[in-house]
Amino acid sequence: MKQGKITKVSGPLIEASGLSDANIYDVVEVSKDKLIGEIIEMRGDVASIQVYEETTGIGPGDEVISTGHPLSVELGPGMLEHMYDGIQRPLQKLEDLAGNFLKRGVTAPALNRETKWEFKPTMEAGNEVGSGDILGTVEETTVLTHKIMVPFGISGKLKDIKEGSYTVEETIAIIETEDGDKEINMIQKWPVRKARPSKRKLDPDEPLITGQRVIDTFFPVAKGGTSAIPGPFGSGKTVVQHQIAKFADADMVVYVGCGERGNEMTDVLNEFPELIDPKTGESIMKRTVLIANTSNMPVAAREASIYTGITLGEYFRDMGYNVAMMADSTSRWAEALREMSGRLEEMPGDEGFPAYLASRIADFYERSGKVEVLGNRDEQGSLTVIGAVSPPGGDLSEPVTQATLRIVKVFWGLDYDLSYQRHFPAINWLNSYSLYQDKMDRYIDTNVNEEFSTMRKRAMSLLAQEQSLQEVVRLVGRDALSDDDKLKLDVTKSLREDYLQQNAFHDVDTYCSLKKQNIMLDLILYNYDRSLEALSAGVELDNLEDLSVHEKITRAKFIHEDDIDKLKDIKNEIDQEIGGLQREA
């Protein structure tokens, strides 16, 4: 323990002298209340410390004690279904200790020390083990099996391994190493600012299926990929992230509410336990960890919450799971960086953000990826990072958005005009992009329909042509267009309203499988092709626009997943109705 004295207090930033033996990023205890802080700058024996709690009442002369350890999280059974603050304090436990309003200095271990977990070994005494090898499993929830791994940096012969019910602190194995016997329990501690290692990174080649048509069809993200959702206030960033957290085909989800409004996290807490995972039939919370550091919580902890969340994600990735992490929003994290940088009197960069903003954002997103996990096992895991960005006034040229777009490979650009028209998800199909598109096309063509990517490209081409046609309509009116172009506007209207538009609050339309997406897109384009044929055969456009089958195409999105084969019958109805018009012509 190294002790110093406070010399200056500036909001969440304090300075303390007499800490010459301390290191950068060491955790410290501040004042008699033992507030948690972290050293972020050293000048001689003077340390600049960001405090993760309210500093009111602290003054010069109060003591500061360095623990000698960096800010770390506890990893082990008991994290799922829980809600933590930005430095992994369990909020439910803090409420039990302090009531509805958190008090300074109140803390509790992240993992419950009293709960006993049924440990089932997968190794035997005498086995050679190394970092990342799985010693055994714990059924943490009915959905996810927690794999107890050999901590990083430990290898040797397994001297003893137990079976039965144990707390996370009790010894379950002893490993004989070159440095002597190491007792292993179910807790691992890991510094949040350090990426967890893996054997090697792999090329992401499988899509993260989200159940959102505009994403899965037109702008897919890979498992292990990175994506950004920039958009102005009210354009639906949070709802899109909620949808992905609810329905993405990830084994485990980490949702970080970083600096956003408290009522949004309340919605998550109220909704998620009631939502049923379509894959397992169980509550979605059984595979979810929530980290909340809302706008009224300490600024410094907001900066740490992003790192806490991604470290938890890496831990489950190392078990061989596909993990999805939502960060809502990285703009609030960047604002916390700006505030701390200003208090440190660092030279400001663009719009007052620190000069190292871009490198910090890159460091964060680079921790995503599909990897070959450590240990003597042929397993892969992935960590997909989806970050919301909240540019002031929707200005995508501001520093946080630009630094983010330089590193991520998928851009879901939210459009205020679309949200004003009540078109949700308000992802602008002309501005957004996915650099994983070619790989995802190959995957979907192989696993869903070999024509899917062809249909997607054709639909996107039609939507792009619609923009120029709408310009003509605005100038000279719809009547100046040819029948072919009028039909093109009809089909793009169907693509927009019947396919791209999706109701997050409708029991059926909230989620759409790839199989259903394929059938719906095929229906719209098939109707367009048959209508073009009919026009060529002399059928009047007005007659084509009055067909009753259009209503069935519009209602296709509300057909339950169990009944989607019924959608194929609509093709026959298209043939019958258009065929009848052609015979009359």
Side-chain angles (χ1 to χ4, degrees):
M1 293 282 188
K2 305 167 185 71
Q3 189 167 323
K5 295 287 184 183
I6 294 177
T7 58
K8 174 186 172 184
V9 180
S10 175
L13 179 77
I14 66 171
E15 284 186 0
S17 61
L19 291 170
S20 56
D21 293 333
N23 297 310
I24 194 89
Y25 295 136
D26 276 1
V27 171
V28 297
E29 294 175 350
V30 179
S31 80
K32 64 181 186 302
D33 293 328
K34 294 188 175 180
L35 308 186
I36 299 171
E38 182 185 26
I39 297 174
I40 56 175
E41 185 181 72
M42 291 291 300
R43 294 183 184 177
D45 71 337
V46 178
S48 296
I49 299 163
Q50 60 179 359
V51 183
Y52 293 126
E53 299 181 71
E54 178 60 51
T55 56
T56 304
I58 293 173
D62 287 351
E63 66 177 23
V64 172
I65 298 173
S66 171
T67 63
H69 302 292
L71 182 67
S72 301
V73 290
E74 290 185 351
L75 305 168
M79 292 188 292
L80 293 175
E81 299 185 87
H82 277 74
M83 186 176 190
Y84 296 103
D85 74 351
I87 50 176
Q88 211 202 7
R89 294 181 300 179
L91 291 176
Q92 182 61 56
K93 186 67 175 175
L94 297 189
E95 183 187 13
D96 295 341
L97 293 171
N100 290 336
F101 297 95
L102 297 181
K103 296 175 184 175
R104 294 192 310 172
V106 177
T107 189
L111 301 179
N112 191 306
R113 299 300 198 259
E114 297 167 6
T115 304
K116 286 187 175 285
W117 300 96
E118 191 66 29
F119 175 72
K120 296 177 181 176
T122 55
M123 292 276 189
E124 297 177 352
N127 289 157
E128 289 289 333
V129 295
S131 301
D133 281 333
I134 295 173
L135 295 172
T137 61
V138 166
E139 290 294 329
E140 184 169 355
T141 69
T142 52
V143 170
L144 195 137
T145 300
H146 197 111
K147 301 173 185 178
I148 306 301
M149 299 174 287
V150 177
F152 182 69
I154 295 178
S155 61
K157 182 181 285 188
L158 193 57
K159 193 173 180 181
D160 183 34
I161 189 164
K162 300 176 180 177
E163 181 176 2
S165 295
Y166 298 94
T167 65
V168 289
E169 289 184 305
E170 291 179 310
T171 301
I172 55 164
I174 298 173
I175 298 175
E176 188 180 318
T177 71
E178 294 177 355
D179 300 324
D181 290 353
K182 301 281 186 185
E183 294 186 351
I184 306 296
N185 57 24
M186 289 190 254
I187 297 180
Q188 288 191 28
K189 289 196 174 182
W190 193 265
V192 297
R193 298 181 191 278
K194 180 182 176 184
R196 285 177 64 89
S198 59
K199 277 184 191 171
R200 64 190 179 102
K201 275 201 169 182
L202 304 170
D203 189 26
D205 56 3
E206 183 181 345
L208 181 76
I209 307 301
T210 65
Q212 311 308 300
R213 290 185 290 270
V214 64
I215 293 174
D216 293 342
T217 300
F218 293 103
F219 312 109
V221 62
K223 286 180 179 175
T226 52
S227 174
I229 317 177
F233 173 76
S235 58
K237 294 183 297 295
T238 300
V239 174
V240 170
Q241 286 204 316
H242 285 194
Q243 288 295 96
I244 298 171
K246 292 170 191 174
F247 299 118
D249 65 337
D251 300 312
M252 186 264 175
V253 171
V254 181
Y255 190 97
V256 182
C258 174
E260 288 300 298
R261 294 169 291 280
N263 60 339
E264 292 180 357
M265 287 308 298
T266 304
D267 286 344
V268 173
L269 277 175
N270 290 335
E271 287 177 20
F272 276 36
E274 298 174 4
L275 286 166
I276 301 302
D277 187 340
K279 289 190 301 179
T280 62
E282 298 278 356
S283 167
I284 279 174
M285 279 302 292
K286 291 187 180 295
R287 61 175 177 89
T288 304
V289 177
L290 299 175
I291 295 172
N293 197 259
T294 50
S295 52
N296 62 330
M297 295 172 81
V299 171
R302 186 186 304 174
E303 192 257 346
S305 63
I306 291 285
Y307 295 109
T308 298
I310 202 157
T311 305
L312 298 187
E314 287 175 332
Y315 175 66
F316 283 94
R317 175 208 69 188
D318 291 346
M319 294 181 198
Y321 291 125
N322 294 310
V323 181
M325 176 186 167
M326 316 294 147
D328 187 16
S329 110
T330 55
S331 291
R332 308 290 172 249
W333 167 62
E335 286 168 9
L337 281 178
R338 178 167 62 184
E339 179 170 336
M340 297 309 299
S341 174
R343 292 183 186 277
L344 283 168
E345 300 175 8
E346 295 173 337
M347 184 69 72
D350 196 9
E351 293 191 19
F353 287 102
Y356 48 77
L357 172 70
S359 62
R360 288 284 178 89
I361 289 175
D363 286 345
F364 165 66
Y365 280 104
E366 283 295 341
R367 289 175 69 171
S368 67
K370 181 179 179 181
V371 303
E372 194 174 311
V373 300
L374 290 177
N376 187 24
R377 52 194 173 115
D378 185 21
E379 285 188 60
Q380 298 173 358
S382 70
L383 174 56
T384 309
V385 177
I386 298 168
V389 187
S390 309
D395 177 17
L396 299 187
S397 66
E398 60 90 38
V400 181
T401 307
Q402 288 302 305
T404 302
L405 293 183
R406 280 200 294 271
I407 191 69
V408 301
K409 290 195 170 184
V410 180
F411 168 54
W412 297 323
L414 295 176
D415 191 315
Y416 183 76
D417 289 339
L418 285 175
S419 65
Y420 186 76
Q421 297 164 23
R422 295 294 182 264
H423 177 112
F424 293 105
I427 294 173
N428 188 310
W429 49 89
L430 298 176
N431 297 343
S432 304
Y433 61 81
S434 171
L435 300 183
Y436 301 112
Q437 190 73 69
D438 291 342
K439 294 175 194 169
M440 302 306 105
D441 279 349
R442 286 195 292 272
Y443 178 91
I444 296 174
D445 285 354
T446 303
N447 293 276
V448 180
N449 174 10
E450 61 184 14
E451 296 295 322
F452 190 90
S453 63
T454 304
M455 291 193 298
R456 176 194 64 75
K457 290 171 186 173
R458 189 171 174 219
M460 183 56 76
S461 173
L462 287 167
L463 288 166
Q465 291 172 53
E466 179 195 31
Q467 189 177 36
S468 57
L469 288 175
Q470 291 287 13
E471 290 290 333
V472 175
V473 170
R474 277 191 285 270
L475 287 170
V476 295
R478 181 182 166 96
D479 291 340
L481 298 179
S482 67
D483 282 352
D484 282 3
D485 284 342
K486 289 177 184 175
L487 184 61
K488 197 171 287 182
L489 285 179
D490 289 340
V491 73
T492 52
K493 182 174 185 284
S494 179
L495 283 169
R496 286 188 286 105
E497 297 181 0
D498 305 336
Y499 193 79
L500 296 178
Q501 209 167 340
Q502 196 164 346
N503 188 346
F505 300 101
H506 190 281
D507 290 345
V508 174
D509 196 33
T510 186
Y511 172 84
C512 188
S513 66
L514 274 181
K515 182 179 177 183
K516 185 176 176 182
Q517 291 179 42
N518 171 57
I519 296 173
M520 287 176 62
L521 189 58
D522 185 35
L523 271 180
I524 294 170
L525 295 177
Y526 184 75
N527 181 50
Y528 176 55
D529 288 337
R530 288 305 316 272
S531 298
L532 278 177
E533 289 175 17
L535 276 181
S536 301
V539 176
E540 292 291 329
L541 179 63
D542 290 344
N543 292 334
L544 286 170
E545 290 177 336
D546 290 339
L547 293 178
S548 61
V549 76
H550 291 161
E551 176 66 20
K552 292 192 176 180
I553 295 173
T554 299
R555 304 291 301 172
K557 63 169 77 174
F558 303 119
I559 300 293
H560 198 276
E561 292 284 339
D562 295 338
D563 301 322
I564 55 176
D565 285 338
K566 293 178 181 177
L567 293 176
K568 296 175 183 177
D569 298 336
I570 299 177
K571 267 192 176 183
N572 296 329
E573 295 184 42
I574 293 171
D575 287 336
Q576 289 170 8
E577 293 196 19
I578 292 180
L581 290 176
Q582 285 176 307
R583 286 190 292 275
E584 290 173 10

